[in-house]
Amino acid sequence: MSWGTELWDQFDNLEKHTQWGIDILEKYIKFVKERTEIELSYAKQLRNLSKKYQPKKNSKEEEEYRYTACKAFLSTLNEMNDYAGQHEVISENMTSQITVELTRYVQDLKQERKSHFHEGRKAQQHIETCWKQLESSKRRFERDCKEADRAQQYFEKMDADINVTKADVEKARQQAQTRHQMAEDSKADYSLILQKFNQEQREYYYTHIPTIFQKIQEMEERRIVRVGESMKTYAEVDRQVIPIIGKCLDEIVKAAKSIDQKNDSQLVIEAYKSGFEPPGDIEFEDYTQPMKRTVSDNSLSNSRGEGKPELKFGGKSKGKLWPFIKKNKLMSLLTSPRQPPPPPPASASPSAVPNGPQSPKQQKEPLSHRFNEFMTSKPKIHCFRSLKRGLSLKLGAAPEDFSNLPPEQRRKKLQQKVDELNKDIQKEMDQRDAITKMKDVYLKNPQMGDPASLDHKLTEVSQNIEKLRLEAQKFEAWLAEVEGRLPARSDQARRQSGMYDTQSPATVNNCAQDRESPDGSYTEEQSQESEVKVLATDFDDEFDDEEPLPAIGTCKALYTFEGQNEGTISVVEGETLYVIEEDKGDGWTRIRRSEDEEGYVPTSYVEVYLDKNAKGAKTYI
């Protein structure tokens, strides 16, 4: 089966068919190219998805990934990142092995096809030229024969006419002979050209055209084979990454199996355990007796001496004990505006409606007046140490010994601090050893350096080690103190009432001062109202002498805000100020323009840039 013999007269159709084959090949190349773009886009979306749910560095979210479920999720994210990489491999291999190769092949195919059909057209033109020569020779032979016949008839007519001279008859005879000779020459020429044409025609239809069409057939078959090979490569590229994708999925399953609910539960205990003992039983108070009622030593509160159950600081009901009381809200009451902040304006000039309908309306009194008013109202405040340390936390100055934390959490923080200091000491010691070795090398080989040049650095490192050791000893002492206070593991089930029953009243009083409340501060109770007032006066004096808050960042005013109420401050759009207190969830941010100008502005009115190195500032990424 050959195109040269079967399709000898289908030159134009073969030309159209081969062009269609090239178009199909180009369409397949376009299909593969779009597939590679889809794979790249899919891989990019997978990577972005994995990156989106990765824990942020130096954030609380990163601490959550110590749980096995979170670790498994993180492993899943990493495996999805590798999964996306395999789709990138598919795209790269399809581009290099199919798209690029087929594009180059299509260019070569077009050149080959052009060459074959150019050769075919050249053979067609040659046979057409031979045919035209044959036709011309045939017409000339026909014309000469007719001319010879007319000349012969004219000679015979002249020869029969008696009135014609002999000279005219001779002339007619010579003319007839000349015409006959020309006819004979045309006949011979026509015969020769006809033989030549027949030979050219046989070569054209039996040699040239079959050869050309055979080459075109082979070219088309190679194209078809190449398409099939490309489709196999298309499948193999996918198949090659299936084992790796399977490993990624296996790792995800392995990570899922590694989830340990018991371990996560233990981590929750370690993270939130306070170290406090549950409160003991409350004794029955007989109100029918005229005698002075007292509170059981087993309870966690002391009597006020007024014959009424005492309300703890920040409590709302008489039946609640301090381990279950919510976090102290005194500082929010004393310092920040009481009303919710106004929403950001929709227009470019928000100053047209200053503060809005939700701006603070209640005048903010001086801190000492509001504190005294709070003291004279019921219930009375009995815990000034808690208030003072709550103020310190509000201002961002956490105690160095972590005394604001519950015992167990304090022990954990101190242990972390000790471990960090020990690591720093080890680094400094390694650095000292390296400097010492370098100094020995310089002593043995003076040409390499001056040993005396390292003395200053060695002294500095030794001083750093000594400072770190002193710091570590300080935290170790605090840690030993906390560990000495914490109950033994075997005594966790003991009731607090049993512990206090064996103590003397003086010991109970001391323990009351050392107890820590759930809001993160120690409690100290007094039984006399006069002592409360004295402490309040001392506290006011001490609070007034405190240094101004340090700046923890800067902010830029997005809108103009007119602070017409007490505790707020006016800002102009585009103005840059210092941030001294972050938004605590009430919608207000505390800022400072100068030492004498500070106040609150709505958080939505400013764009905050916190300094991650500032003390008390959170880190945002």
Side-chain angles (χ1 to χ4, degrees), residues 90-262:
I90 291 176
S91 176
E92 293 174 0
N93 291 341
M94 285 188 176
T95 300
S96 60
Q97 300 179 21
I98 299 179
T99 305
V100 175
E101 293 295 330
L102 284 185
T103 301
R104 188 182 301 112
Y105 175 72
V106 165
Q107 298 300 324
D108 296 339
L109 187 64
K110 288 181 178 179
Q111 292 295 330
E112 183 180 1
R113 174 181 175 276
K114 182 179 179 180
S115 175
H116 292 325
F117 282 100
H118 176 72
E119 185 177 355
R121 288 192 182 90
K122 187 177 180 180
Q124 281 184 339
Q125 292 176 358
H126 178 71
I127 197 66
E128 287 177 359
T129 301
C130 293
W131 173 257
K132 290 178 181 180
Q133 290 180 356
L134 178 63
E135 287 293 325
S136 176
S137 175
K138 180 180 177 182
R139 286 194 298 270
R140 186 171 56 253
F141 171 59
E142 182 181 6
R143 185 179 63 251
D144 289 345
C145 288
K146 290 179 179 180
E147 291 292 334
D149 186 53
R150 283 196 299 269
Q152 182 64 28
Q153 291 178 2
Y154 179 74
F155 167 70
E156 290 177 356
K157 181 180 178 182
M158 292 295 289
D159 187 48
D161 190 356
I162 59 175
N163 297 323
V164 178
T165 63
K166 188 176 181 179
D168 292 335
V169 173
E170 186 63 23
K171 183 178 180 181
R173 185 180 63 80
Q174 291 179 357
Q175 186 69 22
Q177 289 179 352
T178 301
R179 293 296 179 182
H180 280 289
Q181 185 63 39
M182 291 176 62
E184 290 295 331
D185 294 340
S186 297
K187 180 179 179 181
D189 186 48
Y190 170 67
S191 176
L192 181 63
I193 292 176
L194 179 61
Q195 292 178 1
K196 183 179 179 182
F197 174 78
N198 289 332
Q199 183 179 357
E200 292 288 344
Q201 184 173 251
R202 283 193 299 270
E203 291 180 356
Y204 174 78
Y205 286 111
Y206 294 98
T207 304
H208 295 315
I209 288 298
T211 302
I212 295 172
F213 282 11
Q214 185 64 31
K215 291 179 180 179
I216 294 175
Q217 181 181 356
E218 293 174 357
M219 177 193 71
E220 186 69 9
E221 290 175 354
R222 286 198 307 271
R223 179 193 64 80
I224 296 172
V225 171
R226 191 63 176 268
V227 171
E229 292 176 351
S230 299
M231 290 182 177
K232 289 174 60 178
T233 304
Y234 179 87
E236 289 298 325
V237 167
D238 257 344
R239 194 189 304 276
Q240 289 172 1
V241 301
I242 288 178
I244 303 178
I245 292 178
K247 289 182 180 179
C248 294
L249 299 178
D250 292 340
E251 290 297 324
I252 294 176
V253 174
K254 182 179 178 182
K257 292 180 179 179
S258 68
I259 296 177
D260 186 356
Q261 67 276 14
K262 299 296 183 181

Side-chain angles (χ1 to χ4, degrees), residues 328-341 358-367 370 391 394-395 543 549 565-569 581-591 598-603:
N328 200 324
K329 300 297 182 180
L330 176 62
M331 288 312 303
S332 298
L333 177 65
L334 296 179
T335 59
S336 63
R338 301 185 184 182
Q339 296 294 330
Q358 296 181 345
S359 61
K361 297 179 180 179
Q362 192 165 358
Q363 293 293 329
K364 181 182 175 185
E365 298 175 358
L367 179 60
R370 192 174 287 186
L391 283 172
K394 180 71 176 180
L395 300 178
F543 183 81
L549 295 176
N565 296 287
E566 183 70 15
T568 61
I569 185 173
E581 184 178 348
E582 296 179 66
D583 186 354
K584 300 301 182 181
D586 55 0
W588 296 91
T589 300
R590 193 174 179 181
I591 64 173
E598 65 179 42
Y600 286 85
V601 295
T603 304

Side-chain angles (χ1 to χ4, degrees), residues 65-80:
Y65 278 81
R66 55 186 174 172
Y67 298 101
T68 57
C70 294
K71 288 181 179 178
F73 179 51
L74 181 60
S75 177
T76 300
L77 295 178
N78 295 332
E79 293 301 330
M80 289 307 298

Side-chain angles (χ1 to χ4, degrees), residues 365-419:
E365 298 175 358
L367 179 60
S368 59
H369 294 174
R370 192 174 287 186
F371 185 80
N372 289 333
E373 179 184 359
F374 198 90
M375 286 298 303
T376 57
S377 63
K378 293 184 180 182
K380 305 292 185 183
I381 296 181
H382 299 85
C383 184
F384 296 99
R385 183 179 298 178
S386 174
L387 173 61
K388 183 177 178 180
R389 294 189 177 179
L391 283 172
S392 298
L393 291 177
K394 180 71 176 180
L395 300 178
E400 186 181 11
D401 60 350
F402 303 107
S403 58
N404 59 306
L405 299 175
E408 185 66 27
Q409 299 301 318
R410 184 185 179 196
R411 182 196 65 78
K412 187 178 178 182
K413 288 289 185 181
L414 289 172
Q415 185 64 52
Q416 291 178 357
K417 189 67 176 178
V418 170
D419 294 340

Side-chain angles (χ1 to χ4, degrees), residues 441-454:
V441 172
Y442 286 175
L443 289 173
K444 295 178 182 179
N445 302 286
Q447 67 276 9
M448 297 183 65
D450 184 12
S453 62
L454 300 176

